[in-house]
Structures are given as structure tokens and as C-alpha cells.
Amino acid sequence: MTMLRKWVARLTLVAVSACTLAACTVVNTQVDAYSAIPADLSPRTVYIAPGPAMNGNTLAFQQNAAHLGGLLLGKGFTPVTSPGAARLLASFSYDIDAGRRVTTQYSVPEHGIVGYRHIRLENGKTRREPVFGVIGYSLETRTVTVYGRTLLLDMTDRQTGRPVFHALAVSEDTCTSLAIVIPIMLKGVLADFPAARSGGTTRSSDQSC
């Protein structure tokens, strides 16, 4: 996760600026997606199933799977309720770790008198006034719990039995609400679908974590 942390740190300032004056959640996601989906694939139907160790009976998974289905539909791939009616069989799973404590330092400016200026009065005399500014900085520390999230999406062509799409997405920050984070990560994963994608993506939700 070292490279991810460096990448997230570079994007933090830009990401936060996108949420100024509004309550929202920004997620920086690193995506590696590989695709061998033919351009002329037909029919473009997808059956979404829970991946290994994923409980497909939970309301949380069903809602996230429905969100995935909506994104696929927007890309021209129709979700179906039976694997026998699907050309592509999708395995979808996600997870969040137990978190880790992270302590960072930041500078706080200290203000005081940095000099004086002389003001000439009407009677010819002068008056000395202090000029205020930054006279130094103090270091403050902040400790938060950072959680890592992983999302996997694999697709197999039911006619050939061959894998045609594989995506791994990872993100980390202080948000523990998968109901907010997973839909955001899915948008990054499917940004170029059905084409491959590799790299970072920054997306937001109007929901506050």
C-alpha cells in the first residue's frame, strides 16, 4: 500500500478543494483493470454474483450490486437475473480492513510583531506603530484511523469460459461507510468500461461520511 499512500497524499489538497462549501465525501482510488471484452460482444448481458467470501444475501451487497448493475447499464450492458440468460458472468466483492493509526505533523503559524512603521502626523511629529505578521511556526500533531478498502470485479464469457475482465481497486482514508465508498470506487473502476484502465481516479459523493 506504500505507493497508494504516496499517491493519495499528492491528491489530498485537490480532493478537499472539490468539497468546499458542501458536505461531501471524496475518495481517491487506484484502479488496475484488464479487459478482453470483444467490441462486437453480443448479447451484452451480465449476471452479477457475489465473489468468494462475499455474502450475497445481505442487503448491503444487494444494494451495491444494484448500483454496479446501474453503471453497467449505462455502459450498454444489461444486468439479468439468471446466469443462463447472461453472456458475461460477473463476480463482485469488496472488503475493508481493521484500520491503522496514522499520526501526522503540520505547521501552525505564530503571529506577533515583526517590525514597526513610523507615521507622520499633521503636527509634524511621528508616531511608531507595530507591524504584525508571522514570526514563526509551531508543530502540531494529529492522529486518525485510516481504513483500506479493496474491490474486485471479474467477468467471464459464459460461451467460451474464458475470463474477459479483471479489475482490482484500492483506496484508503478515514471513512468506514462502505455504503458511500463502494459506489464511488465502482465509478472509478468502470470509468472506461469495457476498455481497460490503469491509474488513479478521484471521485466524490454528495453524502458526508
mmCIF file of all heavy atoms in Angstrom, residues 5 8 29 31 35-36 51 66 73 83 90 103-104 118 120 124-125 130 138 140-141 153 155 162-163 168 172 187 190:
data_model
loop_
_atom_site.group_PDB
_atom_site.id
_atom_site.type_symbol
_atom_site.label_atom_id
_atom_site.label_comp_id
_atom_site.label_asym_id
_atom_site.label_seq_id
_atom_site.Cartn_x
_atom_site.Cartn_y
_atom_site.Cartn_z
ATOM 1 N N ARG A 5 -0.391 5.185 -0.695
ATOM 2 C CA ARG A 5 -0.350 6.257 0.296
ATOM 3 C C ARG A 5 0.313 7.498 -0.268
ATOM 4 O O ARG A 5 -0.128 8.625 -0.024
ATOM 5 C CB ARG A 5 0.381 5.770 1.541
ATOM 6 C CG ARG A 5 -0.405 4.712 2.315
ATOM 7 C CD ARG A 5 0.431 4.050 3.376
ATOM 8 N NE ARG A 5 -0.257 2.897 3.922
ATOM 9 C CZ ARG A 5 0.336 1.907 4.553
ATOM 10 N NH1 ARG A 5 1.637 1.923 4.735
ATOM 11 N NH2 ARG A 5 -0.360 0.878 5.019
ATOM 12 N N VAL A 8 -2.160 9.082 -2.718
ATOM 13 C CA VAL A 8 -3.260 9.733 -2.009
ATOM 14 C C VAL A 8 -2.802 11.052 -1.407
ATOM 15 O O VAL A 8 -3.512 12.052 -1.448
ATOM 16 C CB VAL A 8 -3.823 8.809 -0.910
ATOM 17 C CG1 VAL A 8 -4.783 9.569 -0.004
ATOM 18 C CG2 VAL A 8 -4.543 7.619 -1.531
ATOM 19 N N THR A 29 -9.032 6.559 -5.597
ATOM 20 C CA THR A 29 -8.966 5.121 -5.843
ATOM 21 C C THR A 29 -7.892 4.800 -6.866
ATOM 22 O O THR A 29 -7.792 5.462 -7.910
ATOM 23 C CB THR A 29 -10.322 4.587 -6.356
ATOM 24 O OG1 THR A 29 -11.348 4.943 -5.428
ATOM 25 C CG2 THR A 29 -10.295 3.070 -6.501
ATOM 26 N N VAL A 31 -6.830 2.121 -9.531
ATOM 27 C CA VAL A 31 -7.515 1.081 -10.301
ATOM 28 C C VAL A 31 -6.549 0.400 -11.266
ATOM 29 O O VAL A 31 -5.784 1.066 -11.960
ATOM 30 C CB VAL A 31 -8.690 1.674 -11.106
ATOM 31 C CG1 VAL A 31 -9.365 0.588 -11.945
ATOM 32 C CG2 VAL A 31 -9.696 2.338 -10.185
ATOM 33 N N SER A 35 -8.940 -5.882 -19.706
ATOM 34 C CA SER A 35 -10.138 -6.246 -20.450
ATOM 35 C C SER A 35 -9.800 -6.962 -21.754
ATOM 36 O O SER A 35 -8.872 -6.578 -22.466
ATOM 37 C CB SER A 35 -10.978 -5.007 -20.762
ATOM 38 O OG SER A 35 -12.143 -5.353 -21.479
ATOM 39 N N ALA A 36 -10.575 -7.993 -22.030
ATOM 40 C CA ALA A 36 -10.506 -8.691 -23.317
ATOM 41 C C ALA A 36 -11.932 -8.850 -23.850
ATOM 42 O O ALA A 36 -12.221 -9.804 -24.573
ATOM 43 C CB ALA A 36 -9.825 -10.050 -23.155
ATOM 44 N N GLY A 51 -18.664 -12.509 -5.023
ATOM 45 C CA GLY A 51 -17.375 -13.171 -5.136
ATOM 46 C C GLY A 51 -17.096 -14.054 -3.938
ATOM 47 O O GLY A 51 -17.925 -14.172 -3.022
ATOM 48 N N ALA A 66 -26.760 -3.709 -7.097
ATOM 49 C CA ALA A 66 -27.719 -2.956 -7.898
ATOM 50 C C ALA A 66 -27.075 -1.691 -8.464
ATOM 51 O O ALA A 66 -27.336 -1.297 -9.613
ATOM 52 C CB ALA A 66 -28.944 -2.605 -7.061
ATOM 53 N N LEU A 73 -25.399 -0.837 -16.987
ATOM 54 C CA LEU A 73 -26.472 -0.497 -17.919
ATOM 55 C C LEU A 73 -26.155 0.802 -18.645
ATOM 56 O O LEU A 73 -26.417 0.939 -19.852
ATOM 57 C CB LEU A 73 -27.795 -0.383 -17.168
ATOM 58 C CG LEU A 73 -29.052 -0.154 -18.025
ATOM 59 C CD1 LEU A 73 -29.265 -1.321 -18.982
ATOM 60 C CD2 LEU A 73 -30.271 0.022 -17.125
ATOM 61 N N PRO A 83 -28.149 -16.534 -14.502
ATOM 62 C CA PRO A 83 -26.875 -16.742 -15.192
ATOM 63 C C PRO A 83 -27.056 -17.364 -16.571
ATOM 64 O O PRO A 83 -26.250 -17.137 -17.476
ATOM 65 C CB PRO A 83 -26.102 -17.676 -14.254
ATOM 66 C CG PRO A 83 -27.130 -18.292 -13.374
ATOM 67 C CD PRO A 83 -28.215 -17.283 -13.235
ATOM 68 N N ALA A 90 -20.407 -12.023 -13.891
ATOM 69 C CA ALA A 90 -19.576 -11.105 -13.104
ATOM 70 C C ALA A 90 -19.500 -11.571 -11.658
ATOM 71 O O ALA A 90 -20.511 -11.892 -11.041
ATOM 72 C CB ALA A 90 -20.146 -9.698 -13.171
ATOM 73 N N THR A 103 -0.281 9.036 12.490
ATOM 74 C CA THR A 103 -0.010 10.333 13.112
ATOM 75 C C THR A 103 0.764 11.208 12.133
ATOM 76 O O THR A 103 1.769 10.778 11.561
ATOM 77 C CB THR A 103 0.801 10.168 14.406
ATOM 78 O OG1 THR A 103 0.046 9.380 15.337
ATOM 79 C CG2 THR A 103 1.104 11.511 15.034
ATOM 80 N N THR A 104 0.283 12.412 11.922
ATOM 81 C CA THR A 104 0.940 13.352 11.028
ATOM 82 C C THR A 104 1.245 14.650 11.766
ATOM 83 O O THR A 104 0.607 14.975 12.769
ATOM 84 C CB THR A 104 0.067 13.662 9.799
ATOM 85 O OG1 THR A 104 -1.201 14.168 10.242
ATOM 86 C CG2 THR A 104 -0.166 12.411 8.965
ATOM 87 N N HIS A 118 6.703 54.096 10.967
ATOM 88 C CA HIS A 118 6.568 55.446 11.501
ATOM 89 C C HIS A 118 5.567 56.224 10.654
ATOM 90 O O HIS A 118 5.671 56.251 9.428
ATOM 91 C CB HIS A 118 7.911 56.155 11.530
ATOM 92 C CG HIS A 118 8.860 55.540 12.516
ATOM 93 N ND1 HIS A 118 9.619 54.423 12.227
ATOM 94 C CD2 HIS A 118 9.159 55.883 13.814
ATOM 95 C CE1 HIS A 118 10.354 54.112 13.280
ATOM 96 N NE2 HIS A 118 10.094 54.976 14.252
ATOM 97 N N ARG A 120 3.840 59.882 9.981
ATOM 98 C CA ARG A 120 3.999 61.319 10.212
ATOM 99 C C ARG A 120 2.626 61.946 10.463
ATOM 100 O O ARG A 120 1.695 61.764 9.695
ATOM 101 C CB ARG A 120 4.684 61.996 9.025
ATOM 102 C CG ARG A 120 4.951 63.497 9.235
ATOM 103 C CD ARG A 120 5.743 64.061 8.072
ATOM 104 N NE ARG A 120 7.074 63.453 8.029
ATOM 105 C CZ ARG A 120 8.105 63.856 8.775
ATOM 106 N NH1 ARG A 120 7.956 64.869 9.628
ATOM 107 N NH2 ARG A 120 9.277 63.266 8.648
ATOM 108 N N GLY A 124 3.595 67.430 12.431
ATOM 109 C CA GLY A 124 4.999 67.228 12.114
ATOM 110 C C GLY A 124 5.687 66.165 12.912
ATOM 111 O O GLY A 124 6.816 65.765 12.602
ATOM 112 N N LYS A 125 5.048 65.700 13.956
ATOM 113 C CA LYS A 125 5.630 64.638 14.754
ATOM 114 C C LYS A 125 5.387 63.286 14.091
ATOM 115 O O LYS A 125 4.583 63.163 13.170
ATOM 116 C CB LYS A 125 5.044 64.660 16.159
ATOM 117 C CG LYS A 125 5.373 65.925 16.942
ATOM 118 C CD LYS A 125 4.811 65.852 18.350
ATOM 119 C CE LYS A 125 5.165 67.102 19.150
ATOM 120 N NZ LYS A 125 4.636 67.044 20.530
ATOM 121 N N PRO A 130 3.261 49.263 15.590
ATOM 122 C CA PRO A 130 3.786 47.918 15.320
ATOM 123 C C PRO A 130 3.176 47.325 14.041
ATOM 124 O O PRO A 130 2.041 47.622 13.675
ATOM 125 C CB PRO A 130 3.353 47.119 16.551
ATOM 126 C CG PRO A 130 2.124 47.815 17.041
ATOM 127 C CD PRO A 130 2.340 49.276 16.751
ATOM 128 N N SER A 138 4.782 26.607 14.775
ATOM 129 C CA SER A 138 4.843 25.534 15.765
ATOM 130 C C SER A 138 4.321 24.248 15.117
ATOM 131 O O SER A 138 3.465 24.302 14.223
ATOM 132 C CB SER A 138 4.006 25.880 16.995
ATOM 133 O OG SER A 138 2.639 26.047 16.659
ATOM 134 N N GLU A 140 2.218 20.879 15.246
ATOM 135 C CA GLU A 140 1.118 20.196 15.909
ATOM 136 C C GLU A 140 1.026 18.776 15.351
ATOM 137 O O GLU A 140 1.473 18.502 14.233
ATOM 138 C CB GLU A 140 -0.204 20.933 15.677
ATOM 139 C CG GLU A 140 -0.217 22.370 16.167
ATOM 140 C CD GLU A 140 -0.364 22.462 17.673
ATOM 141 O OE1 GLU A 140 -0.750 21.456 18.290
ATOM 142 O OE2 GLU A 140 -0.098 23.549 18.225
ATOM 143 N N THR A 141 0.450 17.882 16.117
ATOM 144 C CA THR A 141 0.273 16.507 15.648
ATOM 145 C C THR A 141 -1.207 16.162 15.617
ATOM 146 O O THR A 141 -2.011 16.677 16.392
ATOM 147 C CB THR A 141 1.004 15.494 16.554
ATOM 148 O OG1 THR A 141 0.483 15.598 17.885
ATOM 149 C CG2 THR A 141 2.490 15.750 16.555
ATOM 150 N N LEU A 153 -13.607 -7.074 -9.243
ATOM 151 C CA LEU A 153 -14.657 -7.335 -10.221
ATOM 152 C C LEU A 153 -14.070 -8.180 -11.347
ATOM 153 O O LEU A 153 -13.167 -7.735 -12.056
ATOM 154 C CB LEU A 153 -15.219 -6.026 -10.781
ATOM 155 C CG LEU A 153 -16.343 -6.154 -11.818
ATOM 156 C CD1 LEU A 153 -17.550 -6.874 -11.223
ATOM 157 C CD2 LEU A 153 -16.739 -4.788 -12.356
ATOM 158 N N MET A 155 -15.035 -10.834 -14.691
ATOM 159 C CA MET A 155 -16.082 -11.253 -15.623
ATOM 160 C C MET A 155 -15.572 -12.386 -16.508
ATOM 161 O O MET A 155 -14.431 -12.354 -16.976
ATOM 162 C CB MET A 155 -16.540 -10.083 -16.493
ATOM 163 C CG MET A 155 -17.219 -8.973 -15.727
ATOM 164 S SD MET A 155 -17.882 -7.697 -16.826
ATOM 165 C CE MET A 155 -18.484 -6.507 -15.632
ATOM 166 N N ARG A 162 -13.881 -18.255 -20.793
ATOM 167 C CA ARG A 162 -12.630 -17.526 -20.586
ATOM 168 C C ARG A 162 -12.865 -16.228 -19.820
ATOM 169 O O ARG A 162 -13.884 -15.552 -20.016
ATOM 170 C CB ARG A 162 -11.985 -17.196 -21.929
ATOM 171 C CG ARG A 162 -11.528 -18.423 -22.710
ATOM 172 C CD ARG A 162 -10.935 -18.013 -24.039
ATOM 173 N NE ARG A 162 -10.453 -19.169 -24.794
ATOM 174 C CZ ARG A 162 -9.961 -19.093 -26.023
ATOM 175 N NH1 ARG A 162 -9.887 -17.906 -26.632
ATOM 176 N NH2 ARG A 162 -9.552 -20.202 -26.633
ATOM 177 N N PRO A 163 -11.920 -15.836 -18.942
ATOM 178 C CA PRO A 163 -12.021 -14.528 -18.273
ATOM 179 C C PRO A 163 -11.818 -13.414 -19.290
ATOM 180 O O PRO A 163 -10.904 -13.471 -20.116
ATOM 181 C CB PRO A 163 -10.899 -14.568 -17.241
ATOM 182 C CG PRO A 163 -9.929 -15.585 -17.758
ATOM 183 C CD PRO A 163 -10.734 -16.597 -18.503
ATOM 184 N N LEU A 168 -9.053 -4.633 -10.081
ATOM 185 C CA LEU A 168 -8.718 -4.510 -8.667
ATOM 186 C C LEU A 168 -8.628 -3.029 -8.347
ATOM 187 O O LEU A 168 -7.894 -2.283 -9.007
ATOM 188 C CB LEU A 168 -7.392 -5.199 -8.350
ATOM 189 C CG LEU A 168 -6.789 -4.904 -6.968
ATOM 190 C CD1 LEU A 168 -7.697 -5.439 -5.865
ATOM 191 C CD2 LEU A 168 -5.395 -5.506 -6.849
ATOM 192 N N GLU A 172 -7.959 4.254 0.478
ATOM 193 C CA GLU A 172 -7.822 4.339 1.929
ATOM 194 C C GLU A 172 -8.032 5.774 2.401
ATOM 195 O O GLU A 172 -7.619 6.729 1.760
ATOM 196 C CB GLU A 172 -6.463 3.821 2.409
ATOM 197 C CG GLU A 172 -5.267 4.598 1.917
ATOM 198 C CD GLU A 172 -3.983 4.147 2.600
ATOM 199 O OE1 GLU A 172 -3.959 3.062 3.182
ATOM 200 O OE2 GLU A 172 -3.007 4.912 2.548
ATOM 201 N N LYS A 187 -17.460 3.664 -9.724
ATOM 202 C CA LYS A 187 -17.407 4.638 -10.813
ATOM 203 C C LYS A 187 -15.994 4.723 -11.387
ATOM 204 O O LYS A 187 -15.813 4.845 -12.602
ATOM 205 C CB LYS A 187 -17.864 6.007 -10.319
ATOM 206 C CG LYS A 187 -19.353 6.103 -10.028
ATOM 207 C CD LYS A 187 -19.720 7.489 -9.537
ATOM 208 C CE LYS A 187 -21.200 7.597 -9.223
ATOM 209 N NZ LYS A 187 -21.569 8.945 -8.717
ATOM 210 N N LEU A 190 -15.219 1.465 -13.484
ATOM 211 C CA LEU A 190 -15.933 1.363 -14.756
ATOM 212 C C LEU A 190 -15.837 2.626 -15.612
ATOM 213 O O LEU A 190 -16.574 2.764 -16.589
ATOM 214 C CB LEU A 190 -17.405 1.030 -14.498
ATOM 215 C CG LEU A 190 -17.668 -0.307 -13.792
ATOM 216 C CD1 LEU A 190 -19.154 -0.495 -13.562
ATOM 217 C CD2 LEU A 190 -17.109 -1.467 -14.593
#
